[in-house]
């Protein structure tokens, strides 16, 4: 057994009694109530998911296993000569909650290298899709096509015990994750780089090899590491994480579950917003026709979007009530590495203007930028200008978080998900009863 799997198993054994005790002795304790607005409004704020891998505070933002983004970057072993940590060490951290040593990290690096070969039939599937298919449809199809590889399914069919489910889920998760950079890079080069491919480099780590296979020079390897880690996890309620968790709760394997989660990420209100931001900015520049962007014409363009009944992409969030620290982490990267880049300056100007416009518009509960408002600028600067590929980058990162989560879901025996529906009439009846109770109270 690898060191990572051994450590994970130890953590699972330590954790299981906590979940069992909560269920057995405190199962009836209430942690919240559900309103009609929440039932109709996408279960916003309803506490019905449990994860220890990350937690999203509305004002502080994300913490991975208790650490903020800067603390996480600081604590993890760095790739020699680079500023950002190994993605493989981050995978260890998300799974176990422990910062790995360099030796432990390098063991995962080697393990991933051994797992990273992509079967030829996956390439065939990708090549069979029309070349104008969206990269996210390609990415999801590639993951789904590999379902026949599932170790979990083989073990399940042999009659595995429930408390062993985590083990082949971990194997599936590792096998999938190790292949995602190659799959992403293959899609990119097939679609946008004249179908000319670059072989994996056996000396490179997850982020380094991705940059190499994409065909981008340093420091794009660090950009990739930063990007994957930042996008990995945002607690369990977002669409991609929740979908992956939901599908896996039926004991569908990690291939089915992740492919489904990736489909959710492809929505414009979720992960696709990063491509929408770039598309918005480019349309805006086109409209300016060479004129300089000013706060005034940015404000005008934002209002045009809102008046057309559209959302301003990259702004707002279902949980956050301040600027997303993932936005700030990328902004700091830009301030350090590309402070005078015109696109960065324009995005910074939008950051100055948009919160005021959205506040005046008066609808959104959070007028501040989210992760997607900034990420395209960095990609564009380093030469990745094909913005409909951006959500695949997000998807590779998001896979780290959701695969760690479903490994733990199986370890802790989380149940098949099945919330209860009510009818509109039932809601109307409850509302009428509430009015009656109010009237009696005021008599
Ligand atoms: N521009 C215009 N209107 C917005 C808005 C925005 N950026 N954000 C929210 N609103 C509107 C909503 O559409 C909603 O309008 P209706 O009452 O007419 O339905 C109202 O404000 C209240 O919404 P909310 O409670 O503030 O936000 P939600 O929790 O419902 O939605 C979203 C959160 C992120 C989906 C939303 O803010 C949005 O659509 N933002 C733009 C798209 C975007 O950037 N998505 C990426 C989010 C981060 C992420 O998941 N990345 O993957």
């Amino acid at each position: 057994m690898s060191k990572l799997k051994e450590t994970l198993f130890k953590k699972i054994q330590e954790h299981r009694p906590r979940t069992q005790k909560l269920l057995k002795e405190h199962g009836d304790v209430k942690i919240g109530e559900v309103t009609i607005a929440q039932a109709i409004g996408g279960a916003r704020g309803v506490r019905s998911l449990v994860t220890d891998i990350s937690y999203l505070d509305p004002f502080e933002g994300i913490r991975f296993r208790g650490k903020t983004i800067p603390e996480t970057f600081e604590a993890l072993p760095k790739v020699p000569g680079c500023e950002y940590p190994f993605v493989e060490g981050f995978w260890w951290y998300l799974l176990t909650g422990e910062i790995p040593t360099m030796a432990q990290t390098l063991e995962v690096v080697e393990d991933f290298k051994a797992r990273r070969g992509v079967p030829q039939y996956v390439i065939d599937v990708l090549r069979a899709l029309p070349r104008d298919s969206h990269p996210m449809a390609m990415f999801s199809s590639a993951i789904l096509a590999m379902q026949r590889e599932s170790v979990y399914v083989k073990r399940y069919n042999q009659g595995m015990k429930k408390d062993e489910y985590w083990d082949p889920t971990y194997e599936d998760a590792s096998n999938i994750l190790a292949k995602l950079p190659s799959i992403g890079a293959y899609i990119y080069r097939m679609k946008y780089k004249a179908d000319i491919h670059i072989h994996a480099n056996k000396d490179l780590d997850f982020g380094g090899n991705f940059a190499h296979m994409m065909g981008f020079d340093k420091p794009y390897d660090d950009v990739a590491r930063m990007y994957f880690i930042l996008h990995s996890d945002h607690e369990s309620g977002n669409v991609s994480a929740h979908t992956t968790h939901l599908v896996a709760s039926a004991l569908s394997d990690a291939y089915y579950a992740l492919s489904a989660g990736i489909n959710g990420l492809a929505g414009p209100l979720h992960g696709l917003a990063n491509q929408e931001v770039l598309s918005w900015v480019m349309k805006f520049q086109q409209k300016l026709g060479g004129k300089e962007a000013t706060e005034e014409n940015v404000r005008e363009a934002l209002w045009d979007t809102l008046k057309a009944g559209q959302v301003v992409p990259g702004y707002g969030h279902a949980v956050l009530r301040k600027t997303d620290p993932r936005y700030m982490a990328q902004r700091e990267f830009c301030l350090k590495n590309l402070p005078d880049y015109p696109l960065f300056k324009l995005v910074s100007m939008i950051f100055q203007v948009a919160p005021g416009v959205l506040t005046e518009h008066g609808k959104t509960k959070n007028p501040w930028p989210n992760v997607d408002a900034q990420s395209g600028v960095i990609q564009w600067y380093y030469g990745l200008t094909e913005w409909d590929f951006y959500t695949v980058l997000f998807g590779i990162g998001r896979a780290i978080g959701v695969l760690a989560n479903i490994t733990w879901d199986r370890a802790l025996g989380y149940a098949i998900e099945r919330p209860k529906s009510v009818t509109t009439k039932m809601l109307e009846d409850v509302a009428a009863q509430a009015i009656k109770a109010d009237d009696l109270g005021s008599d």
Side-chain angles (χ1 to χ4, degrees):
M1 201 188 268
S2 70
K3 292 261 171 19
L4 170 53
K5 206 165 164 184
E6 232 174 68
T7 312
L8 174 60
F9 187 40
K10 196 172 131 253
K11 295 282 168 188
I12 289 170
Q13 284 174 311
E14 283 165 12
H15 196 111
R16 275 178 174 156
R18 293 173 63 195
T19 304
Q20 282 155 4
K21 184 174 180 197
L22 281 168
L23 267 177
K24 214 167 148 190
E25 296 176 22
H26 309 288
D28 292 336
V29 175
K30 286 192 180 154
I31 56 169
E33 287 175 36
V34 181
T35 64
I36 288 178
Q38 287 171 314
I40 295 175
R44 198 72 78 258
V46 175
R47 293 169 191 201
S48 57
L49 294 163
V50 188
T51 177
D52 298 292
I53 291 177
S54 67
Y55 180 75
L56 183 59
D57 178 85
F59 296 98
E60 189 193 50
I62 193 70
R63 275 181 184 261
F64 302 121
R65 289 283 188 184
K67 288 194 191 300
T68 62
I69 291 169
E71 287 166 359
T72 304
F73 282 145
E74 179 64 31
L76 288 167
K78 310 273 179 310
V79 180
C82 299
E83 291 189 17
Y84 284 87
F86 283 99
V87 171
E88 292 89 336
F90 181 67
W91 170 240
W92 176 299
Y93 177 54
L94 283 197
L95 276 174
T96 66
E98 279 180 5
I99 297 291
T101 62
M102 183 59 105
Q104 289 168 333
T105 303
L106 291 177
E107 195 190 286
V108 185
V109 171
E110 291 311 311
D111 182 44
F112 273 25
K113 282 183 193 168
R115 296 174 190 261
R116 77 182 172 197
V118 177
Q120 180 57 40
Y121 66 83
V122 177
I123 303 297
D124 295 342
V125 165
L126 289 174
R127 302 196 70 79
L129 291 170
R131 222 36 79 79
D132 64 354
S133 302
H134 193 280
M136 284 297 273
M138 292 182 163
F139 191 52
S140 175
S141 304
I143 295 164
L144 188 59
M146 292 191 294
Q147 188 277 334
R148 64 188 286 284
E149 310 288 337
S150 173
V151 180
Y152 176 88
V153 169
K154 286 184 193 98
R155 296 266 303 273
Y156 189 87
N157 291 341
Q158 286 162 3
M160 158 179 58
K161 286 206 296 256
K162 198 172 174 181
D163 66 0
E164 292 169 13
Y165 288 175
W166 72 271
D167 178 319
T169 303
Y170 165 88
E171 293 299 330
D172 282 355
S174 305
N175 286 333
I176 295 173
L177 204 50
K179 292 173 178 52
L180 294 184
S182 305
I183 292 172
Y186 191 90
I187 293 169
Y188 179 70
R189 301 216 44 109
M190 177 177 75
K191 242 180 109 73
Y192 310 107
K193 296 289 165 187
D195 213 357
I196 298 167
H197 298 276
I198 302 170
H199 286 296
N201 179 331
K202 65 176 179 40
D203 296 328
L204 294 175
D205 64 296
F206 193 97
N209 191 44
F210 178 69
H212 162 76
M213 294 186 84
M214 292 287 285
F216 294 120
D217 294 334
K218 274 181 175 297
Y220 191 79
D221 55 338
D222 255 348
V223 171
R225 293 180 194 107
M226 171 186 73
Y227 204 91
F228 295 151
I229 292 174
L230 283 182
H231 288 79
S232 61
D233 212 36
H234 221 220
E235 67 171 43
S236 301
N238 64 80
V239 170
S240 51
H242 188 196
T243 306
T244 309
H245 163 83
L246 167 69
V247 173
S249 84
L251 300 188
S252 299
D253 61 61
Y255 296 84
Y256 281 126
L258 179 64
S259 173
I262 292 296
N263 297 343
L265 191 68
L269 296 189
H270 190 19
L272 205 80
N274 56 12
Q275 92 166 46
E276 300 288 289
V277 168
L278 249 285
S279 157
W280 191 95
V281 170
M282 290 301 149
K283 273 187 207 142
F284 169 64
Q285 280 184 327
Q286 228 171 32
K287 231 165 139 186
L288 286 182
K291 264 196 312 186
E292 206 189 327
T294 62
E295 292 203 358
E296 205 35 58
N297 53 35
V298 166
R299 184 172 292 110
E300 223 171 85
L302 291 166
W303 273 113
D304 286 350
T305 300
L306 293 169
K307 282 179 193 156
Q310 292 157 10
V311 295
V312 173
Y315 283 76
H317 200 274
V319 178
L320 282 168
R321 292 296 174 258
K322 63 161 250 184
T323 298
D324 190 335
R326 300 173 300 174
Y327 176 94
M328 290 311 287
Q330 293 184 92
R331 182 174 158 76
E332 273 154 33
F333 180 95
C334 293
L335 285 170
K336 191 167 166 204
N337 295 287
L338 43 132
D340 300 321
Y341 188 48
L343 192 59
F344 172 56
K345 285 185 158 171
L346 175 54
V347 164
S348 299
M349 191 185 283
I350 299 172
F351 179 36
Q352 292 305 313
V353 178
V357 170
L358 285 165
T359 304
E360 202 182 325
H361 183 241
K363 266 192 171 183
T364 175
K365 295 188 190 68
N366 175 40
W368 302 105
N370 59 58
V371 66
D372 297 310
Q374 186 73 232
S375 48
V377 176
I378 302 177
Q379 299 300 331
W380 191 278
Y381 180 78
Y382 288 105
L384 210 172
T385 53
E386 299 84 358
W387 64 65
D388 57 356
F389 186 77
Y390 291 174
T391 315
V392 173
L393 301 171
F394 195 152
I396 298 174
R398 182 49 50 95
I400 307 169
V402 301
L403 290 171
N405 266 291
I406 61 168
T407 304
W408 270 96
D409 288 352
R410 297 291 71 77
L412 299 178
Y414 285 172
I416 185 167
E417 215 183 287
R418 200 350 181 149
K420 182 78 190 83
S421 301
V422 290
T423 64
T424 305
K425 174 77 170 62
M426 287 174 187
L427 294 182
E428 286 163 349
D429 291 347
V430 176
Q433 277 165 20
I435 292 170
K436 225 180 192 171
D438 267 1
D439 287 349
L440 284 175
S442 59
D443 279 349

